[in-house]
Amino acid sequence: LSRGKIMKVLGKNLGNIFMDIPKIRNMEEFAAFSGVSRPTVSRFFHDPDSVRSVTREKLERALEQCDYRPNIFAINQNRKLTKNLGIVVPYLADPFFAEIARRIETLIIVAGFRPILLSSHGDPLLEVENLESLRSIKPAGVLLAPLGRSSNISAIEKFCLDVPTVLFDSNIEGVGDAFVGHDNFQATSVMIEYLTRTGEPPVFFEMRDPPNPNAGKRRKAYVEAMNKKELEQQIIQIDGDGWQLEEIGYRGAVKAINGKELSRSTVFCSNDRLAIGFLTAAYELGVKVGLAPDCDLRVAAHDNHPVSHFTCPRLTTISHNFAAIAQKSVDTIMALIESGERSQERTTTLFDGELIMRASA
């Protein structure tokens, strides 16, 4: 299908301007209207021959049924951009970030771009170096999951002014064109509701100085949910620095259990990696975790880390909507690239978490 034919199809719409037909403002809305994925729509307008004939026909029919006319000039201009899209994550050795990066990579490839995946390995200096390395190859855009608390905010802010950037997973307020992530308040509230309904109210188990900013939001959500239920709170903060969270959780749990610091028999860990360390400590100390009458503790956590399926007992947790976060992140950066314009207003999109009930609580 030639670009001339696309324009001919679009020209049919001129007589329909004053008719009662759907008003489509951008490519994202057209994708929803046509029932074709956003990356496929993007490929269609860049290179119609790159999509299947059945899909082309479906998109042609959709163009005839609405008033959408893409900015062909902008699309042609965007062809001059590199096809590189950067992805920067805090710690690729963590299967959580590997999983979401895998999903984002796949969507970027489908959209006809080349993903360049870099890990900051928990190092704020390396995080800035990664961004500068990407800047040197003039990427079309970048998807960034920042370290958060330890990030060089001013350096990231400067980079985001020059390069279209969408933040995901951890937010830095006011930085980048958009943020896409997990609703920590909703998810924590769901877990508190479940744990208090099925047993003793939970003790909150967290790092004193967590590396990821989501941890602070989860603590605040725990306090808020417990206050709402007029329940007594207990927050156990453990010492540790960096991203070796299982080791930090293990040491903190040994101290808490041996020191009889737990005021109740339910523990809600700030994240699954701390909980994995907690479960190991409980096993070694002869403390039985689970739902059976002879169990000493219930343990739950947050993230649905890939390893949480295989702990013993399997870990009750709150899952991120990995698919939706990856899809929205890619859709948002693609919309910025295709429009050729930066966001006038920074947007935030949060997706609800899902309770995953397993044997640990």
Side-chain angles (χ1 to χ4, degrees):
L1 183 67
S2 67
R3 189 164 296 280
K5 186 171 181 181
I6 292 178
M7 296 306 295
K8 184 177 179 181
V9 172
L10 295 175
K12 293 180 182 180
N13 289 331
L14 294 177
N16 295 331
I17 290 175
F18 300 105
M19 295 175 63
D20 184 20
I21 57 177
K23 306 295 182 185
I24 307 297
R25 296 172 297 178
N26 52 48
M27 205 175 290
E28 188 167 322
E29 290 185 3
F30 178 69
F33 174 77
S34 65
V36 175
S37 72
R38 179 69 169 66
T40 302
V41 169
S42 175
R43 285 169 50 209
F44 170 73
F45 285 118
H46 278 85
D47 180 9
D49 290 330
S50 68
V51 301
R52 294 183 302 170
S53 58
V54 173
T55 305
R56 284 202 304 272
E57 291 169 7
K58 186 174 184 179
L59 289 168
E60 287 178 43
R61 287 196 300 271
L63 284 169
E64 292 175 351
Q65 294 166 6
C66 70
D67 69 346
Y68 178 58
R69 292 177 296 284
N71 186 336
I72 299 297
F73 173 75
I75 290 173
N76 282 329
Q77 286 297 103
N78 285 333
R79 284 184 165 184
K80 299 176 183 178
L81 296 171
T82 71
K83 286 291 186 177
N84 298 322
L85 261 176
I87 310 167
V88 182
V89 297
Y91 197 72
L92 194 54
D94 185 335
F96 172 86
F97 290 111
E99 173 63 17
I100 197 163
R102 178 189 68 81
R103 291 172 181 267
I104 289 173
E105 272 191 309
T106 301
L107 293 169
I108 287 173
I109 292 167
V110 169
F113 283 71
R114 289 185 295 271
I116 299 175
L117 176 60
L118 300 172
S119 172
S120 301
H121 298 294
D123 183 348
L125 293 177
L126 182 55
E127 183 173 62
V128 173
E129 287 179 15
N130 285 337
L131 294 177
E132 291 307 312
S133 295
L134 288 170
R135 187 202 294 273
S136 69
I137 62 171
K138 296 180 169 40
V142 169
L143 292 158
L144 168 65
L147 292 171
R149 184 175 62 89
S150 62
S151 289
N152 184 332
I153 305 298
S154 61
I156 293 176
E157 207 166 18
K158 183 179 178 182
F159 175 86
C160 293
L161 290 174
D162 297 335
V163 180
T165 306
V166 172
L167 272 60
F168 68 97
D169 182 63
S170 57
N171 193 15
I172 300 175
E173 292 294 340
V175 174
D177 295 274
F179 170 68
V180 181
H182 175 66
D183 190 336
N184 287 288
F185 279 85
Q186 174 272 342
T188 300
S189 297
V190 167
M191 181 60 85
I192 297 296
E193 176 62 34
Y194 169 70
L195 293 175
T196 55
R197 176 168 49 83
T198 55
E200 281 194 312
V203 173
F204 193 70
F205 184 82
E206 66 164 358
M207 288 176 65
R208 192 178 309 280
D209 294 307
N212 190 295
N214 289 322
K217 294 174 183 174
R218 293 170 188 178
R219 183 198 319 113
K220 290 178 182 177
Y222 166 80
V223 171
E224 185 179 290
M226 295 290 278
N227 282 341
K228 189 174 180 181
K229 290 180 171 292
E230 299 183 343
L231 294 170
E232 184 181 353
Q233 306 154 26
Q234 184 188 5
I235 298 175
I236 294 178
Q237 295 187 318
I238 59 176
D239 294 323
D241 188 44
W243 289 81
Q244 304 304 317
L245 307 186
E246 294 86 357
E247 174 65 25
I248 293 168
Y250 169 80
R251 292 200 311 265
V254 168
K255 181 176 179 294
I257 294 171
N258 281 338
K260 303 187 184 306
E261 296 177 29
L262 301 172
S263 63
R264 293 186 286 271
S265 62
T266 303
V267 179
F268 181 22
C269 297
S270 179
N271 61 68
D272 286 359
R273 293 183 63 192
L274 289 178
I276 291 167
F278 193 105
L279 290 175
T280 302
Y283 174 79
E284 288 189 359
L285 296 172
V287 175
K288 190 170 182 181
V289 175
L291 297 170
D294 62 339
C295 289
D296 305 296
L297 289 177
R298 295 188 304 161
V299 176
H302 202 136
D303 284 338
N304 199 25
H305 190 286
V307 177
S308 69
H309 297 262
F310 306 107
T311 56
C312 187
R314 299 207 306 157
L315 185 62
T316 291
T317 187
I318 286 279
S319 179
H320 294 239
N321 191 334
F322 288 94
I325 291 171
Q327 185 72 63
K328 181 63 177 177
S329 298
V330 173
D331 286 350
T332 304
I333 197 68
M334 292 303 299
L336 287 168
I337 294 166
E338 285 154 4
S339 70
E341 299 177 356
R342 302 300 298 274
S343 299
Q344 297 300 308
E345 184 177 344
R346 187 180 191 266
T347 60
T348 296
T349 306
L350 300 178
F351 291 95
D352 286 353
E354 178 188 1
L355 175 64
I356 308 294
M357 294 177 286
R358 301 194 183 109
S360 70

